[in-house]
Every structure is written in C-alpha cells, then in structure tokens.
Amino acid sequence: MIRKPLIPLAVLALAACATTDPPAAEIGAARAMVAQARPLADRDAPQQIAEAQAKLSRAESEMQKGHHDTARMLARQAEADAKLAWTIAENARLSRTAAEVQDANRTLREESERKPQ
C-alpha cells in the first residue's frame, strides 16, 4: 500500500529532472537572421543589431551550460531583435531611395519648365 503513493512521486521527480533538447534550430535561425540583418543594420539600426547579437551570444553561452530553456528563449528573442533591426534598416533604405526619386522628379520637372516650348 505504501508503494502506490511513491510511484507518482517518483514519476514527478523524474519529470522535474528531465531536460529539454538543445535549441540548435533556434540558435541557427537566430545566427542566420543576425548575419542577414547586419550589413543593413550596422548603419541604420546599430542598437537593435547589437541587442540581437548580445542575446545570441547569451543564448549560445546558456546552451553550453545546459540551460536549454533559457537558451531557446534568448535565441528566439535574438532572432526577433534581428528581424526588427533588418526592418528598421530596410525602411530607412527605402526612405532614402524614395527621397532620391522625388529629388530626381523635381529636377526633371524644373528642367522641363525652363525649356522653351
């Protein structure tokens, strides 16, 4: 009779000790996104890409320590931060391009107005 209550306790104890798989996929995705974002973000979103890189480094460190849940969370945050950095940088690039096109259109309009008909 005493054995029955011990079985659920043993199962709970073993479940508490169970570890999750290493977050290799999440860290790989974060690395890829940081690498993709860096060329644009270094100029236009340096703070965001630095935060992404810092979180990625922490995720790698936590994974080495066996803290897989923390590493997974940090890797996902790093990927999200890198996506944000890329988006900010791409938006800045597109804004510059739009301004250049507007300037070119304005110049063409002014030149066409100066020419005698």
Side-chain angles (χ1 to χ4, degrees):
M1 195 120 205
I2 295 176
R3 290 184 187 173
K4 287 185 181 181
L6 292 179
I7 292 173
L9 290 176
V11 170
L12 287 174
L14 287 174
C17 293
T19 60
T20 59
D21 292 335
E26 289 88 347
I27 288 183
R31 280 182 190 143
M33 194 65 229
V34 168
Q36 178 183 347
R38 184 170 304 286
L40 283 171
D42 278 343
R43 174 182 176 179
D44 294 312
Q47 180 180 356
Q48 289 81 4
I49 198 65
E51 289 173 11
Q53 182 60 60
K55 286 179 184 173
L56 175 57
S57 295
R58 285 180 46 214
E60 291 169 334
S61 175
E62 290 297 318
M63 187 172 75
Q64 292 298 319
K65 294 175 189 174
H67 303 152
H68 297 158
D69 289 336
T70 302
R72 183 173 284 105
M73 177 193 67
L74 288 166
R76 288 177 179 160
Q77 289 177 0
E79 183 181 8
D81 288 350
K83 285 179 181 178
L84 174 63
W86 184 87
T87 301
I88 290 169
E90 184 65 8
N91 187 46
R93 185 187 69 79
L94 291 172
S95 292
R96 283 191 300 272
T97 301
E100 290 170 5
V101 169
Q102 287 175 343
D103 287 345
N105 285 340
R106 185 175 28 258
T107 301
L108 286 172
R109 192 176 341 102
E110 289 170 358
E111 286 179 11
S112 68
E113 289 172 356
R114 279 188 246 150
K115 289 186 179 180
Q117 296 290 338

